[in-house]
Every structure is written in C-alpha cells, then in structure tokens.
Amino acid sequence: MNASLPAPTRRKLIAGAVALSAALTIAPTVNAAPSLDAVPGFRSGSAEVNGTRINYRIGGSGPAIVLLHGYAETGHMWNPLMPMLVKTHTVVVPDLRGAGDSSKPEAGYTKKNMAVDVHELVRSLGIPSVSIVGHDIGLMVAYAYAAQFPSETDKVVLMDAFLPGIGDWQHVWLLRDLWHFHFHGATPLALVSGRERIYFEHFWNDFAADPKRSVPEADRRFYAKAYAQPGGMRAGFEYFKAFEKDAADFAELGRTPLPMPMLVLSGEKAGGAFLIEQGKMVASNVQGVIVKGSGHWLMEEAPDQVIPALIEFLR
C-alpha cells in the first residue's frame, strides 16, 4: 500500500480489504447450495453389516418402509417419494452394496446376499418388520429379502425389470437389446472408464418411452459421478455377472409362495405384463399394474401414476 497516502485513507483501505476478504471467505458457506441428495426430515448414516458398509438415509416414525434403487441410479431416485411417505412411516433409503456412498467390495453381489445386507441394516436400526420396495436390481433384492425373511416383511413392491430363474426369464436375459447383462470384465471396464456418462445415456435414453421424460439432467450428472467413484463401475457389472447364481437361488426360493401382499408396477413401453406374471408365480396375493405410456424409469417418467399407487399400497 502506498505509504504516502494520509493515515485515515490508509486505514479505510485496510478496513475495506479486510471486509472484502471476510466476505469472500464466508460467502461460499453462507450461499452454498444444499446437497442434491438432501431431503427435509431425513438424516444420513452408515452401518457395517454383512461384511460391508451400507450408506443410508432415514426419517420419520411408524411402520417401516425400505426403498431399494436399481442400476444406473442410487437411493437418490426416491427423493420425490420420500417426503410423502415420511409423514406416516419410518422410511429407510439405502445405497445398495457397490452403489452410491456404500462400500464396493470385490464380491457378494448375489441378490440373496445383498438382501442380507439390507436385513442386517434394518435390524441394526431396531426395526422388526418392513414393507420393501425395489426398482430394477432393487426389485431382485426386495424379492430375495421377502423370500428369506417372510415373517419380517409386511408388503413387497416390484418395479419394472424381471426375476432371474422364474418362468421364461431367459427370454429377457438373452434379448439382443439387453447386451449389458453380459457386459462385464476387464475390457468392458476399460471401455467405460472415464466414459460413465456415455454408457449410462444408453439406459436413460433407450429404456425410456421418451428420452425427454426420462432421468433429468441434474440427476444424470449425480449418478454418473457416483458410479465414477473407484470401484463403482466394476461393482455395477457384478450385479449382472451374478444373474446365473441368482436364477438358481430364485428358482429354489420360488418353490415357497410369498404370503404377504405384493404390488407389481411395470412400464407399458418396457416390461409390460412380464414381471406381473412372474410375480404371480412366486406370490399368492399379487396386484399388477401396467404404468401407461411409461418405459423403464417409472419414477421419472410417470410419477403421477406411480407415486399415488405406491402411497395407496403402502399406507
């Protein structure tokens, strides 16, 4: 600072510089946008269960509901539904093993074992029984949960995908357009490294009835970043690699029909009635709903149909 300036002027300039510095330091904290994953009434936590760490959000009180996400998403997909359910229920929203902020171990991706992850999480929270909802990979985990712990499962919801090992499941597993079921290993990992967003665009666009009504842009960035974490893509591929073992497990579990109420939601432009028919093969009390005009991304493409159906069934 120029020493020839009068002392009062120097003091004013110094005070102004200090104030500006303080403003610049404080501003990012004061004006910081809330986390994209923040939902009022929920807190985040993590639990060491079944040899892995599961990240989750929990809120509310009353009968418990667990919401399980699918592939190319995380528990974040349930954000629009969570504030509605938390008014009357305890709501638990985990990131599945290998996804989001949960651990990404080398093994353990059969859906039976992933259901044990969720069950141990629920028990660690002191919850005796739950209604469990799953979309895509999450529906396979939800089914495995209900089949292994039927006395602790009040209701189950399966949302648009299929159950390996049940009925004509291989017709879906071997469809040419569903090549990603067989896309795993060192070379696929190398191909998608740094290109996670490009890879996921195939799912978000091609599995939607209308890509413009599919997963929103902000969510796409969120999910691409989540799966780009170390081990994220490898873990996601493990979901599909485990399908043959899942099929053997589910064929055995399916011999005992589930007794609790089951709701099956399936996109008119995606799975159609296939999952509903599978549900009737493994449960005795099934309500099937075709979501009109929707592709695979039910929560994003048809919230006006899906959210009321879920709230009505789970109340």
Side-chain angles (χ1 to χ4, degrees):
M1 184 174 294
N2 191 337
S4 65
L5 291 173
T9 301
R10 289 202 306 271
R11 286 195 294 270
K12 289 179 180 179
L13 290 173
I14 291 170
V18 169
L20 176 61
S21 175
L24 291 173
T25 301
I26 294 171
T29 302
V30 172
N31 298 323
S35 166
L36 187 62
D37 214 31
V39 176
F42 285 81
R43 64 175 178 83
S44 297
S46 65
E48 296 291 334
V49 293
N50 195 28
T52 193
R53 178 180 52 78
I54 299 296
N55 182 73
Y56 65 92
R57 292 176 291 164
I58 185 171
S61 61
I65 299 171
V66 176
L67 305 174
L68 302 179
H69 66 86
Y71 187 57
E73 296 189 313
T74 69
H76 174 81
M77 68 164 285
W78 300 111
N79 282 14
L81 176 65
M82 290 161 61
M84 302 179 190
L85 293 180
V86 79
K87 297 175 184 178
T88 51
H89 292 79
T90 299
V91 183
V92 182
V93 187
D95 288 334
L96 293 172
R97 171 187 293 246
D101 291 328
S102 292
S103 292
K104 298 161 181 65
E106 293 292 329
Y109 294 91
T110 67
K111 309 314 171 288
K112 278 183 67 175
N113 190 60
M114 292 171 69
V116 173
D117 294 346
V118 178
H119 182 253
E120 290 194 10
L121 169 63
V122 167
R123 295 296 296 272
S124 77
L125 295 171
I127 298 172
S129 67
V130 301
S131 293
I132 191 159
V133 181
H135 174 251
D136 188 77
I137 295 295
L139 83 79
M140 302 175 193
V141 180
Y143 170 69
Y145 188 108
Q148 291 179 96
F149 312 108
S151 65
E152 300 171 55
T153 306
D154 302 322
K155 298 178 180 179
V156 60
V157 181
L158 309 182
M159 295 173 58
D160 205 85
F162 70 103
L163 293 170
I166 304 301
D168 188 22
W169 76 280
Q170 289 189 330
H171 173 72
V172 176
W173 185 52
L174 298 175
L175 278 174
R176 180 186 63 186
D177 291 345
L178 302 183
W179 52 266
H180 64 279
F181 290 157
H182 315 279
F183 187 73
H184 47 75
T187 299
L189 278 175
L191 290 171
V192 301
S193 178
R195 306 175 184 89
E196 294 84 5
R197 172 69 185 262
I198 297 172
Y199 173 69
F200 285 136
E201 289 290 336
H202 161 62
F203 298 93
W204 298 327
N205 293 337
D206 296 348
F207 292 1
D210 178 355
K212 295 179 181 178
R213 293 173 50 225
S214 182
V215 177
E217 172 60 26
D219 291 350
R220 294 182 185 216
R221 293 195 298 268
F222 182 91
Y223 296 135
K225 182 178 179 180
Y227 279 87
Q229 295 179 72
M233 294 305 298
R234 173 192 49 77
F237 289 169
E238 290 292 325
Y239 298 150
F240 306 126
K241 186 178 178 181
F243 276 0
E244 288 184 88
K245 181 62 169 68
D246 295 331
D249 290 341
F250 284 13
E252 181 62 31
L253 291 172
R255 297 178 187 276
T256 304
L258 299 182
M260 73 288 296
M262 173 185 285
L263 172 65
V264 181
L265 300 174
S266 193
E268 179 185 21
K269 306 297 184 180
F274 187 80
L275 181 62
I276 296 173
E277 295 307 313
Q278 283 191 310
K280 293 176 180 178
M281 295 177 189
V282 299
S284 57
N285 183 5
V286 179
Q287 175 187 348
V289 176
I290 299 291
V291 181
K292 300 297 183 182
S294 181
H296 178 65
W297 308 103
L298 302 180
M299 281 291 296
E300 293 82 4
E301 295 185 66
D304 56 330
Q305 298 177 65
V306 172
I307 290 177
L310 289 172
I311 292 173
E312 174 66 21
F313 181 74
L314 294 168
R315 69 179 182 179

